[in-house]
Amino acid sequence: MPRNGTKTVQSVQAKQEVIVSAGAPRSPQILQLSGIGPRELLSSLGIDVIEDLPGVGYNFHDQPAMFAGVTYNYSNYPGPSPGLYFTNQTWVTDQLTIYYKNRTGPDTQAYLSGTTVAFLSLQRLTTEYQKIIASANKTDLAKALPAGADRTLLEGYKAQQATLLTDYASPDAAVHELAYGGGETVPLIVLKPLSRGSILINSSDPFADPVFDYGTFQHPADMQVAVAMFKKFRQFVAAEPWKAVGMEETTPGQGVEGDAAIEAAIRNITQSTWSHPVGTCAMLPRKLGGVVDSKLRVYGVKGLSVVDASVMPTIPATHTSSTVYAVAEKAADIIKARRRRA
């Protein structure tokens, strides 16, 4: 669509193969609009079904983030606060000048964070980690999946949970990210959520946005991990060094105590995305709700591949950019090898 808003239609033909790389939100939309996806959904919109592939658009997940919801004030801060980036433009300009002149000052570190990032395992997060794992094993996964999910997706979900709970039991596999740079806002992130959502079209119009269902906290274990995260950070800031700077929790507030109250606060302050969407065209066996095979080829469709974060069946315990680069590099090797054999 040109910038003037005029819709135009163009036809492009591929001689070798088509590679869809529109990201986890848009790749499933393109496939669904092209007749590749859940039969019932496509038929309800009058789209001819090219391949009935129930996993397209399902298995969607991201990392729930308490990004702007946990805040602190300081009565005795020893130096310039990162909050000055938002409140004092003169200071911001001065620091940028210092950086360009001497390559020194606060702008030499990552914006608002520096190296103050921790990735913690569930064992390091809470002594009740075994209780959380046991509770997750008792969860009715059929009720945790979004509406319309095929039975193959349930089987894939069971397999994913079994793998993820092995990670939950490990002292080395991270489930939580804390990125704290000394400012007023404390990001607390659920890195390995068990909840799953969907991204599905509700129109055959290619310019209409699909419907996002993040499924945030649909699996009860995710909330249990989030509560443990919040409690852990409170332990962290209760340490003696923080008393010297007069650190005081302002949101949700020190009066919020007990698991039920903390859970209610978390539901109010959590955003469903850490901008790391994955999983909507998962690389899994077809019988487990997969969309692409180990060579990134879409099941049942010749000459069609997907290369982006949508092929990740589960999200890595980190930010996804480097993993996407790795997927792209591997995809390049796979595609070149196919060309050599052609």
Side-chain angles (χ1 to χ4, degrees):
M1 178 184 290
R3 291 184 179 180
N4 62 12
T6 303
K7 296 182 181 179
T8 59
V9 177
Q10 295 180 327
S11 296
V12 179
Q13 293 183 336
K15 293 182 178 180
Q16 297 289 337
E17 64 178 296
V18 173
I19 302 167
V20 177
S21 297
R26 296 295 181 175
S27 285
Q29 179 189 20
I30 292 173
L31 295 185
Q32 291 163 14
L33 289 168
S34 302
I36 304 165
R39 178 182 295 278
E40 186 175 346
L41 171 68
L42 304 185
S43 297
S44 71
L45 298 172
I47 298 173
D48 292 337
V49 179
I50 304 300
E51 185 68 22
D52 180 15
L53 206 50
V56 176
Y58 284 93
N59 193 48
F60 170 46
H61 52 296
D62 201 330
Q63 295 162 329
M66 288 176 267
F67 179 59
V70 183
T71 60
Y72 286 82
N73 279 338
Y74 304 87
S75 60
N76 188 34
Y77 207 89
S81 164
L84 291 175
Y85 279 104
F86 304 101
T87 60
N88 191 326
Q89 186 57 47
T90 299
W91 182 84
V92 171
T93 302
D94 289 345
Q95 299 313 308
L96 194 58
T97 300
I98 291 170
Y99 172 75
Y100 282 131
K101 182 178 180 180
N102 304 321
R103 292 298 192 264
T104 59
D107 287 342
T108 56
Q109 67 177 7
Y111 183 58
L112 295 184
S113 61
T115 57
T116 52
V117 178
F119 293 86
L120 300 181
S121 68
L122 189 60
Q123 286 194 33
R124 296 184 184 279
L125 203 58
T126 175
T127 57
E128 297 187 336
Y129 70 94
Q130 290 179 326
K131 181 179 178 180
I132 293 175
I133 294 171
S135 175
N137 273 316
K138 295 177 182 177
T139 299
D140 185 346
L141 296 183
K143 293 181 179 179
L145 282 174
D150 181 79
R151 60 178 179 80
T152 59
L153 289 158
L154 177 58
E155 293 307 309
Y157 192 22
K158 291 177 180 177
Q160 287 185 43
Q161 175 168 282
T163 299
L164 288 168
L165 293 184
T166 300
D167 290 342
Y168 276 31
S170 168
D172 303 314
V175 301
H176 160 54
E177 176 187 352
L178 160 65
Y180 178 60
E184 288 79 10
T185 299
V186 181
L188 303 175
I189 317 301
V190 180
L191 285 178
K192 300 287 283 185
L194 293 172
S195 299
R196 295 294 182 266
S198 62
I199 299 178
L200 303 173
I201 59 174
N202 66 347
S203 167
S204 59
D205 181 359
F207 298 101
D209 290 329
V211 177
F212 285 65
D213 174 8
Y214 281 89
T216 308
F217 296 135
Q218 193 66 28
H219 193 298
D222 290 346
M223 178 55 73
Q224 293 171 339
V225 171
V227 170
M229 283 165 33
F230 188 80
K231 289 180 175 179
K232 189 68 172 181
F233 188 74
R234 276 186 166 173
Q235 292 176 11
F236 174 60
V237 298
E240 194 65 30
W242 294 112
K243 295 178 182 179
V245 299
M247 193 173 185
E248 179 183 2
E249 181 183 313
T250 54
T251 307
Q254 294 173 326
V256 177
E257 294 285 352
D259 287 1
I262 292 173
E263 177 178 336
I266 287 173
R267 290 190 183 278
N268 285 329
I269 63 179
T270 298
Q271 60 188 36
S272 294
T273 177
W274 195 221
S275 298
H276 301 147
V278 305
T280 49
C281 298
M283 182 190 290
L284 285 169
R286 188 166 185 167
K287 65 182 180 181
L288 297 182
V291 176
V292 301
D293 64 15
S294 61
K295 301 298 184 182
L296 302 170
R297 298 169 297 196
V298 176
Y299 289 118
V301 184
K302 186 178 180 180
L304 179 62
S305 301
V306 178
V307 182
D308 54 36
S310 70
V311 305
M312 301 178 195
T314 61
I315 196 165
T318 183
H319 297 210
T320 51
S321 55
S322 295
T323 310
V324 171
Y325 300 154
V327 169
E329 289 286 353
K330 182 63 176 179
D333 291 340
I334 291 171
I335 293 164
K336 286 186 294 184
R338 281 204 287 263
R339 290 289 301 275
R340 285 193 294 268
R341 290 194 298 268

